[in-house]
Amino acid sequence: MLDLSLLVQYGPALLRGFGVTILCWGAGCLIGMVLGFALMLLRQLPVKPLRWVIRAYIEVIRGTPFLIQLFLLYSGGPSIGLRLEATTAGILGLGIYGSAYFAEIFRAGYQAVPKGQVEAALSLGMSYGSILRRVIVPAMLVSTIPAIVNMMAILTKETVVLSIITVPELMYEMQTMAAETFATFETILGMALFYWLLVEVVSRLGRRLEARVTRFLTHASPQGSSSETATARA
């Protein structure tokens, strides 16, 4: 018989684990996006050996399971002098895993930026940093936000794996609850509800961000400004 009182009884521990899950996910996404953006920029340099190294990194990360990468980082790290706490290893592992996918997302967005916009900015004497900040990145955001949000949602579910290396996140606390009460169904139901809530929040925030960025860029675009000027003259 379904006993939902167990979720109330273990509520504090589950909420604490949910907080650790959000921490690992948020920090991992941030590291992944920053590293992925850096990899994308480095891949644009006309240095073939560097491009080959970055491409090999991306293919290896995308082609191997996250669990194996996590074990190599946490259990294999000490063999090369890298000793990390479980939570730190989990965050870094998520960041490294996500960086390969974010790098490909940003690369696709970078290539989708019309070359005419970049050439126009260069003709105005803008530096590459200014062009990147004012032309390329805003245009990239419009096309990549859906993919970024989707990848962030995927990483929320990858946090389940962190319990394998004893990170005290939601899955770890759920396993503790199941071991102490033998309430398997309640455990699975509670875990599904928590992860559904997190993914739903991420998806809704992503849709709002996409709408705001699109609206802002529409008002800030030259076409929008010229149309407003024409209307004012009329």
Side-chain angles (χ1 to χ4, degrees), residues 26 46 82 84 88 90 107 109 123 143 166 205 232:
L82 182 63
L84 300 173
T88 304
R107 183 178 66 86
S123 67
S143 59
T166 69
L205 290 177

Side-chain angles (χ1 to χ4, degrees), residues 59-71:
E59 293 302 324
V60 168
I61 297 298
R62 294 173 65 193
T64 54
F66 175 55
L67 179 59
I68 294 177
Q69 299 171 23
L70 198 60
F71 272 134

